[in-house]
Amino acid sequence: MKPEVIRPGRTIGILGGGQLGRMMAVAARHMGYQIAVLDPAENCPCASIAEEHIIAEYDDLQAAERLSEVSDVITYEFENVDLDVARLFEEKGKLPQGAFALEVTQNRAKEKEIAVDAGLSVPEYRIVTTFEEVEEAMEVTGYPAVIKTVSGGYDGKGQQKIEGETHLEDVRSFMKEGGTYIVEQWLEFDLEISQVFTRGMDGRIIPFPIAENIHKNHILHESRVPATVPGKVEERAHEAVEVLAERIGVVGTFAVEMFVKGKDIFINEMAPRPHNSGHYTIEACSVSQFEQHVRAICGLPLLPVHSFGAAVMVNVLGKHRSILLDRLEYYHGFHFHDYGKEEARQTRKMGHITFVGDNLKEIDKVITENQIHLW
């Protein structure tokens, strides 16, 4: 049976009101949709865009029922929302993305299992619950390695590098009783890339150009397009996401982060929604990852993606924001996005800037002239 088309004028409910929810809402409002958001923060970034803001925790079933009542279709803006609430929306036929994508991406062990079952490469890993199991895992992964919480970590939180045997005592204090962790080989890779794509309800997959990601202190600093990878790597990345998208049953925009080593790729992490490394699509592509996401969950056909020759997206953290805003008239050559967050903590993502041009050499010259590289 052909899925119902959610037409402009109807309401999209968003579970989570952070910057991704805000940018989804902006794209949806541009297309004529109404917005309702459920988020516990009274001043969340999406609140100023939405017609209705339900202020409640993500596991509040009464609040979830309210969001369902006022929404014709529901989406989530990040994966750390309540899985039972997502299943409730799915049972009501209002969550095209489904709860399974959340179930997989909320759990690093399940992410790895899905990738391995699909015949894709991942860094060597072991799931552990005790310190003794960590010691056994090190015999498989070798040093260096990294131990991560199975769920809940982001931007370097919830993980710790294990350089050698002398660091094992630090791991003992890192682990909490009753917790589940993943010990993963520290892969010496050439670069990290991310493939952001959108899959429609009809199963059609439209990829965006692959981004090359540069991190500082475990936080994404820059995403650069095009990624400096050979055509064979691009092909393998496209093939990998197609296999994963089919297995997970993706609807909407989805991102897969991968490590590149030579001509080989290793699946790192997945995100079942628009992704930080895809923000460049707002200005550098004929359709953004957010509009394409809205089209997918509303049952509309996806648009073909055309793009500039090159783009660079740079995150604006709390420590950068005042420097940038106070001198905005002296900078040039980029698009500026502020997420509307009140508290500018040092490493909190407060916005981003995007440079577009014909090639990366041209863009890097503008970045140097603006001294953005000093961030």
Side-chain angles (χ1 to χ4, degrees), residues 155-170:
D155 287 347
K157 298 177 177 66
Q159 63 178 267
Q160 184 167 313
K161 189 175 181 181
I162 311 171
E163 298 276 8
E165 286 187 31
T166 54
H167 289 81
L168 284 176
E169 282 307 309
D170 295 333

Side-chain angles (χ1 to χ4, degrees), residues 213-233:
N213 297 325
I214 298 170
H215 291 79
K216 287 188 177 181
N217 300 317
H218 304 290
I219 299 172
L220 181 63
H221 172 61
E222 280 186 9
S223 288
R224 300 169 61 83
V225 176
T228 53
V229 293
K232 191 66 178 174
V233 169

